[in-house]
Amino acid sequence: MKRLLKLTLKIVLGFLGFLLLYTIVIFFTSIVSVNENNEVTNKNIPIYILSNGVHTDIVLPLKNEIKDWSIDISYLDTKAKDSTRQSLAFGWGDKGFYLDTPTWADLKASTAAKAITGLSSSAMHITFYGNLKEDENCKKFFISENQYQKMIRYIENSFLLDTSNKTQRIGTHSYGKHDIFYEAKGSYNLFYTCNTWVNQALKAGNQKAALWTVLDKGIFWHYN
């Protein structure tokens, strides 16, 4: 009995120690900025970062001279079929969490366990937007054409394509009238979250970003 209690105590203390170290590392790596001295000129492409308080999306133009996302992502696949919305929000995340957890009340222990440990697949959540209003959870900035090309290469490479190199829509799943889900590469885990993905997208485009973060606040810290 004593051995069991000692083992249990070691496990609990080890877990608490891990959480403490994890929290400390997140804090310090989130506030360390990269690409801070970005002096590139001719920044004319508008980009947004958008948070719901937990999850971050990166919002790009639906089409411009460099990239026409509508070739692979059509507004006709949304319930609204609204052609007036000309911005696309990209959000990468755990597929099980995205599709099976519309609200926090629907979260299952098995879904959370798979997401944390990286045992499930991922999905790309696409939302069509019209005009976005800047506030503490929505920041707008401009990037150059060269930076945008680097950023879209990163995002393109996050989609899991079929044998014909086409994006793969996930059924008719959606949260509302203006969004769609697609198959994506990679696995969500404790060290690589939806916010890590957006942070990496910003890094790919030579934009301000955290050294490493798993939280939306780790991204927005550098844009406030």
Side-chain angles (χ1 to χ4, degrees):
M1 187 66 179
K2 287 183 178 180
R3 289 182 179 179
L4 180 60
L5 288 174
K6 286 182 179 180
L7 179 60
T8 303
L9 181 60
K10 286 182 179 180
I11 292 173
V12 171
L13 290 176
F15 179 69
L16 292 176
F18 169 76
L19 286 181
L20 178 60
L21 179 61
Y22 181 70
T23 302
I24 292 171
V25 171
I26 287 174
F27 175 77
F28 284 105
T29 57
S30 291
I31 63 175
V32 175
S33 183
V34 297
N35 300 329
E36 185 69 38
N37 298 317
N38 189 340
E39 298 179 355
V40 175
T41 58
N42 299 319
K43 297 180 180 180
N44 55 1
I45 300 175
I47 306 292
Y48 292 84
I49 48 174
L50 179 65
S51 173
N52 63 5
V54 176
H55 168 92
T56 308
D57 283 351
I58 187 162
V59 187
L60 312 179
L62 175 61
K63 63 175 71 174
N64 58 20
E65 296 80 7
I66 298 172
K67 176 68 177 181
D68 184 354
W69 291 101
S70 66
I71 295 173
D72 295 308
I73 302 170
S74 175
Y75 71 91
L76 293 173
D77 289 333
T78 65
K79 293 177 181 177
K81 303 186 188 304
D82 183 356
S83 63
T84 65
R85 297 191 166 202
Q86 296 299 305
S87 295
L88 278 187
F90 295 80
W92 178 94
D94 179 74
K95 186 176 179 180
F97 196 92
Y98 263 146
L99 304 184
D100 302 328
T101 315
T103 68
W104 287 107
D106 299 304
L107 180 61
K108 299 177 182 177
S110 58
T111 301
K114 287 181 179 179
I116 291 173
T117 57
L119 294 177
S120 63
S121 54
S122 59
M124 188 73 74
H125 184 220
I126 304 293
T127 308
F128 286 80
Y129 280 101
N131 294 324
L132 288 170
K133 182 180 180 181
E134 288 188 86
D135 57 28
E136 62 180 8
N137 290 317
C138 180
K139 302 297 181 180
K140 181 181 182 181
F141 52 98
F142 290 86
I143 68 176
S144 70
E145 292 184 0
N146 181 258
Q147 291 170 336
Y148 186 60
Q149 287 172 339
K150 293 177 180 178
M151 185 179 288
I152 61 175
R153 280 198 294 270
Y154 171 83
I155 295 174
E156 286 173 334
N157 193 48
S158 296
F159 284 88
L160 182 62
L161 305 179
D162 63 17
T163 55
S164 300
N165 288 324
K166 299 294 184 180
T167 54
Q168 302 180 79
R169 185 183 173 194
I170 303 175
T172 57
H173 291 281
S174 69
Y175 287 154
K177 296 181 178 180
H178 300 278
D179 64 309
I180 327 168
F181 285 96
Y182 290 90
E183 299 286 356
K185 296 178 183 176
S187 296
Y188 184 107
N189 59 63
L190 195 59
F191 303 99
Y192 195 93
T193 69
C194 52
N195 300 305
T196 313
W197 181 84
V198 169
N199 193 63
Q200 291 297 107
L202 293 169
K203 284 184 178 181
N206 300 121
Q207 299 306 300
K208 289 188 297 182
L211 179 63
W212 173 72
T213 189
V214 297
L215 305 174
D216 65 327
K217 292 176 179 59
I219 296 172
F220 280 78
W221 168 273
H222 305 278
Y223 287 86
N224 288 325

